[in-house]
Amino acid sequence: MKSHFLRHAAIGGVSVLFAWIFWTSRPEWVWDMRLWKSLGDASFMLLFTTLVLGPLARIWSPAAKWLPWRKYLGIWFGLIAIIHGYLVWDGWARWDIPRFFGYEYLPEVGRAVRLEPGFGLANLIGLVAIFFTIVLMATSTERALKYLGGSWKWLHYSTYTVFYLSAIHAGYFLFIHYTLSFHKNVPPPDWFRFPFLVLVASVLLLQSVAFMKTVKTRRKK
């Protein structure tokens, strides 16, 4: 029980550290968008760490000792991602579904119009990722694992689905949304763009190497 609490405390501290780093690195953003983005990027870092531990342990056996931490990383990723989603829904969309999907009311035309076509799709992808995340969190308890038996592993393979959906969602806002075509003042390019690409590529690379090693090992038997 003590170990369980200490691991949660450690990952909670790391989560706060990630959010603080992203917060302090973007002083030019308005505070609310700065907060949403800091939490979103912090959750992505936790998800990245969760996913690299598995293939890394297959490639380099000493890394297997860190595998028990994946559960705690995943839970904290989910908590931060849900808070991120809620703040966007409450602060940006303002509980308005059309606005969440990129529509805004323009008095000039007397109706809601779609100003950012990709914005709604990116938000929908993020919403689907959060749905899968909630399912994963709900099935990560000891009681759920006992009830599901061995099938929990099949269900938790969807963590990679969450990662790729999150990567598409974040990639849109890092590379596409804030461009010169945007109808408001455009902030400076986000410094996290290229580290983000490295993180995504790292997951793909580690997955591929771990897969090839597994196939090679099985062929030898």
Side-chain angles (χ1 to χ4, degrees):
M1 186 67 181
K2 184 178 179 180
S3 174
H4 182 74
F5 174 79
L6 290 176
R7 287 182 178 180
H8 268 300
I11 301 304
V14 171
S15 303
V16 172
L17 178 62
F18 278 144
W20 179 80
I21 290 172
F22 285 113
W23 169 269
T24 57
S25 68
R26 300 184 181 114
E28 70 280 3
W29 288 67
V30 295
W31 76 269
D32 52 352
M33 294 185 69
R34 190 178 175 190
L35 178 60
W36 310 335
K37 198 159 179 55
S38 298
L39 292 175
D41 292 340
S43 69
F44 187 81
M45 291 297 301
L46 292 169
L47 180 58
F48 163 79
T49 309
T50 304
L51 289 183
V52 297
L53 287 177
L56 184 61
R58 273 184 267 170
I59 298 168
W60 186 55
S61 56
K65 64 182 179 181
W66 296 103
L67 290 178
W69 289 84
R70 288 189 300 178
K71 174 182 176 180
Y72 304 92
L73 286 162
I75 289 173
W76 278 92
F77 150 71
L79 289 173
I80 304 274
I82 290 170
I83 294 172
H84 163 76
Y86 172 79
L87 290 176
V88 171
W89 172 246
D90 182 65
W92 173 267
R94 300 168 191 166
W95 301 84
D96 186 326
I97 293 177
R99 184 175 171 83
F100 182 79
F101 288 108
Y103 290 84
E104 290 194 37
Y105 180 81
L106 290 185
E108 296 86 346
V109 296
R111 61 183 176 85
V113 297
R114 188 177 60 190
L115 296 179
E116 278 76 66
F119 180 77
L121 179 59
N123 280 344
L124 178 60
I125 290 172
L127 188 64
V128 173
I130 286 180
F131 170 77
F132 277 108
T133 298
I134 292 173
V135 172
L136 290 171
M137 291 177 67
T139 56
S140 293
T141 63
E142 293 297 329
R143 180 178 295 181
L145 293 177
K146 289 180 181 178
Y147 177 79
L148 291 171
S151 60
W152 73 268
K153 292 184 178 180
W154 177 85
L155 180 62
H156 280 239
Y157 284 139
S158 62
T159 306
Y160 284 100
T161 301
V162 173
F163 178 78
Y164 297 126
L165 290 174
S166 299
I168 295 170
H169 171 79
Y172 168 79
F173 289 101
L174 286 170
F175 291 96
I176 300 174
H177 187 65
Y178 299 104
T179 64
L180 293 178
S181 62
F182 191 60
H183 69 287
K184 298 178 182 178
N185 292 330
V186 182
D190 195 318
W191 66 267
F192 188 52
R193 292 186 303 163
F194 297 107
F196 166 81
L197 291 178
V198 172
L199 294 176
V200 174
S202 297
V203 171
L204 292 170
L205 178 62
L206 286 171
Q207 273 190 289
S208 301
V209 173
F211 174 76
M212 289 187 289
K213 183 176 180 179
T214 301
V215 171
K216 186 176 180 181
T217 301
R218 288 179 178 176
R219 287 177 65 88
K220 288 181 179 180
K221 293 181 179 181

